[in-house]
Structures are given as structure tokens and as C-alpha cells.
């Protein structure tokens, strides 16, 4: 028996991530691309846009209009922080399950949106990092934090990224925080001669954000102990690295009745 296709809207199809997501949906047998939401190109078909597959999928420049006109199961959002939050809420209002890779959600945003998804009994996934290797990096970092309480996180991204620090860096710090005793690192009398030299502080840990052309998405978690250091590093070399995670999320979100934050919470 053939199972029903999962009908998917992709928001941000001209973007670096959105483009990969369009191709992922296009080549996945049980996925169907029913619409795209782009800040430009209203009224065109997806195939009219540069580098897109031959699909006569309609393009909308407004999420609400799209949701009013198109029957869909899942929205994959890869846009920008404010747009992502708005799109997620609208999707829940229209009974569509959001899979959001857009970063820049605060803990308060997540809590508010979780309440809404539970009210509506609709699953939602926000994953600041869809790369499975990055999830393992976070898990290994949490394991290491049990033995090394001093740690600095360096996240490195391309210079078009809008938010800093990255969602992955914040998430890593939270996972480490859950394991270690609260600790203010560094010398108690430490003084920054230049503001920002020591990075951002999360529960006494420091996060350093590096932005350079040529980078994609990378993170290094550096632990220090007596006479030794331990470095755990993950590199996404291109945006294809995120797509297996997007696929798993688009399938799994249909089985959920709450919002899940973080791909690690849906991987077995
Ligand atoms: P990008 O290349 O700048 O693409 C963003 C796209 O979203 C652009 O085409 C932009 O259109 C479009 N957009 C912005 N606001 C919109 C709106 N209101 N409606 C429809 N489209 C809108 O960025 P990217 O590298 O693809 O990243 C997109 C997001 O994913 C960012 O938040 C990034 O941090 C995140 N990200 C997540 C992961 C993950 O694994 N979860 C990995 C990489 C990146 P215009 O050009 O017209 O503004």
C-alpha cells in the first residue's frame, strides 16, 4: 500500500539553506513540494527561479496567504530570525507542522511557542543545527564536562550570518551547564582591556563568535584540566550536511504533539 505523500512548503527557497531544502524535497519520493514562500517573486512558479528544479510549485511572498490557499502538512522554514518566529506561529494557526532551522530563537520564544503547539496539539521542531555530527559534538561535550569543568566554546560561521552567538553554541553551553557545578571561569580579577575580548558569558562559560567569508558552520569546544586540554570539533563543509537532519525532522514532526527544540531530542 502506498503511503500518502508529506505535503511540504519551503520558506526561503532562494537562500543557501532553503535551496538545499527545495532539492531535498524534490528528490525525496514521499515528499511533495506544494508551495514556496519567498520574500520576492510572488506569483511565479518555482521553476522560474534560478537554480530550482522543474516544479510548477507556486511561490508566495506572504506566508499567511500561502497557508490560506495551500493544503500542507509541514512547513520547512529557513529564513531569518523574525520571519522564522512569525512563520512558525502562523503555521500552527493554520494546522501545519513547522520544522524550523532558522536560528535566533530565545528560550522565552521557545517556551511561548511550545505552549501554543500543545494548545493546538500540533508537533513542531526547532533545530538550531540539523547536522548529525554537530549533535554528536554536543553530546560528547556534555560527557566531557563531567570530567573537565573549564571550557570555552568557539563557533565559526560565514560572515552573512545575522545572529551571534550561534544557536548551537548556546545549546552546547546549556548542555554543559546541566552537568557541571556552576562556575565562573578565569581569574576572579580578570579585566577586559577591550570590550568583548573574553566573549559572551553563559553560566560562567565563554562563547566566542568568529565570522569570516569562506566558512560554513564550525564549532570547537575546548576543555582545560590539569596538564591537559581536550578539543572537540565539528565542521559542516557545505549545506548538504544539514539535509539528512531536515529529512528526519520533516518525517518525525508528524508524530509529535508538542514542540521539540533540538534535533538530538528526536534522534534515537
Ligand atoms: P540566506 O542565504 O540569507 O537565506 C535566507 C533566505 O530567507 C533569503 O532568500 C531571504 O530572502 C529569505 N527570507 C528572509 N525573510 C523572509 C521572509 N519574511 N519570507 C520569505 N523569505 C524570507 O541564509 P541561510 O544561510 O540560508 O540561513 C537561513 C537560516 O537558517 C538562518 O537563520 C541561519 O542561521 C539558519 N541556518 C540553520 C542551520 C541549521 O542546521 N538549523 C544551518 C545553517 C543555517 P532575501 O534575500 O530577499 O532577504
Amino acid at each position: 500500500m502506498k503511503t500518502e505523500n508529506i505535503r511540504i512548503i519551503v520558506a526561503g527557497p532562494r537562500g543557501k539553506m532553503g535551496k538545499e531544502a527545495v532539492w531535498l524535497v524534490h528528490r525525496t519520493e514521499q515528499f511533495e513540494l506544494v508551495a514556496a514562500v519567498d520574500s520576492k517573486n510572488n506569483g511565479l512558479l518555482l521553476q522560474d527561479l534560478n537554480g530550482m528544479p522543474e516544479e510548477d510549485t507556486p511561490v508566495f511572498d506572504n506566508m499567511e496567504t500561502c497557508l490560506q490557499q495551500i493544503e500542507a502538512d509541514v512547513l520547512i522554514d529557513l529564513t531569518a530570525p523574525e520571519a522564522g518566529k512569525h512563520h512558525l506561529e502562523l503555521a500552527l494557526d493554520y494546522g501545519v507542522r513547522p520544522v524550523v532551522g532558522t536560528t535566533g530563537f530565545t528560550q522565552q520564544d521557545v517556551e511561548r511557542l511550545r505552549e501554543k503547539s500543545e494548545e493546538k496539539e500540533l508537533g513542531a521542531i526547532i533545530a538550531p543545527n540539523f547536522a548529525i555530527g554537530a549533535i554528536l559534538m554536543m553530546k560528547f561535550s556534555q560527557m566531557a564536562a563531567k570530567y573537565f569543568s573549564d571550557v570555552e566554546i568557539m563557533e565559526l560561521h560565514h560572515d552573512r550570518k545575522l545572529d551571534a552567538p550561534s544557536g548551537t553554541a548556546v545549546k552546547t553551553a546549556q548542555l554543559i551547564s546541566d552537568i557541571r557545578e556552576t562556575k565562573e571561569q578565569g581569574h576572579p580579577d580578570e579585566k577586559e582591556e577591550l570590550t568583548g575580548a573574553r566573549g559572551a558569558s553563559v553560566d560562567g562559560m565563554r562563547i566566542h563568535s568568529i565570522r569570516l567569508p569562506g566558512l560554513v558552520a564550525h564549532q570547537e569546544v575546548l576543555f582545560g584540566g590539569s596538564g591537559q586540554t581536550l578539543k572537540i570539533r565539528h565542521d559542516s563543509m557545505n549545506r548538504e550536511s544539514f539535509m539528512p537532519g531536515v529529512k528526519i525532522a520533516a518525517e518525525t514532526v508528524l508524530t509529535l504533539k508538542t514542540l521539540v527544540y533540538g534535533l538530538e531530542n528526536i534522534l534515537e
Side-chain angles (χ1 to χ4, degrees):
M1 193 179 75
K2 187 180 183 304
T3 49
E4 293 283 305
N5 279 345
I6 303 174
R7 297 165 301 176
I8 298 181
I9 300 171
V10 173
R14 269 181 307 109
K16 294 179 283 298
M17 285 290 284
K19 194 174 278 179
E20 288 293 339
V22 163
W23 281 99
L24 167 78
V25 176
H26 176 72
R27 68 174 174 259
T28 305
E29 206 180 325
Q30 73 273 26
F31 288 175
E32 185 183 343
L33 192 56
V34 289
V37 176
D38 183 5
S39 45
K40 300 185 182 108
N41 300 308
N42 191 39
L44 295 185
L45 300 178
L46 201 64
Q47 63 197 12
D48 301 327
L49 273 56
N50 240 346
M52 290 287 129
E54 283 292 310
E55 293 239 23
D56 56 0
T57 306
V59 179
F60 296 82
D61 67 356
N62 181 286
M63 179 60 76
E64 189 151 19
T65 314
C66 171
L67 292 164
Q68 281 164 350
Q69 295 188 17
I70 300 291
E71 293 264 326
D73 303 302
V74 173
L75 162 70
I76 298 177
D77 188 276
L78 294 157
T79 57
E82 284 319 306
K85 287 171 206 169
H86 184 52
H87 291 169
L88 194 159
E89 292 221 45
L90 280 173
L92 290 175
D93 286 337
Y94 282 84
V96 174
R97 291 166 167 84
V99 168
V100 179
T102 305
T103 53
F105 285 75
T106 63
Q107 216 166 336
Q108 287 90 329
D109 292 329
V110 173
E111 285 317 316
R112 181 173 51 80
L113 293 162
R114 182 174 288 130
E115 267 176 37
K116 183 160 184 166
S117 92
E118 285 175 2
E119 239 169 61
K120 303 263 178 193
E121 296 193 3
L122 277 177
I125 295 173
I126 302 176
N129 201 323
F130 280 118
I132 290 163
I135 304 305
L136 292 174
M137 170 198 57
M138 288 191 262
K139 282 192 190 276
F140 296 158
S141 299
Q142 195 183 38
M143 283 168 71
K146 203 169 155 194
Y147 305 99
F148 292 89
S149 57
D150 289 77
V151 54
E152 305 249 338
I153 300 171
M154 246 164 302
E155 56 95 344
L156 308 89
H157 283 83
H158 59 90
D159 64 345
R160 304 287 89 198
K161 186 169 173 60
L162 292 176
D163 51 316
S166 72
T168 304
V170 174
K171 179 82 191 179
T172 308
Q174 283 163 356
L175 288 171
I176 291 173
S177 235
D178 291 347
I179 284 285
R180 72 168 199 169
E181 299 268 312
T182 305
K183 175 166 192 182
E184 274 306 320
Q185 292 179 196
H187 196 287
D189 298 331
E190 182 180 87
K191 181 166 164 274
E192 277 188 337
E193 302 295 349
L194 271 180
T195 308
R198 291 288 291 117
S201 177
V202 180
D203 287 338
M205 273 167 270
R206 297 291 169 156
I207 300 181
H208 309 270
S209 296
I210 292 158
R211 298 289 176 265
L212 282 174
L215 293 171
V216 179
H218 318 258
Q219 183 169 296
E220 213 167 279
V221 186
L222 188 57
F223 293 92
S226 313
Q228 58 182 323
T229 62
L230 170 68
K231 180 160 79 181
I232 301 172
R233 180 172 171 121
H234 175 259
D235 295 278
S236 276
M237 318 305 266
N238 60 41
R239 285 162 184 87
E240 259 179 72
S241 63
F242 302 111
M243 292 305 126
V246 174
K247 180 170 182 284
I248 292 172
E251 291 159 350
T252 308
V253 74
L254 297 172
T255 66
L256 303 174
K257 284 198 167 14
T258 184
L259 184 151
V260 172
Y261 181 79
L263 191 68
E264 63 283 8
N265 295 312
I266 59 165
L267 293 178
E268 281 171 18

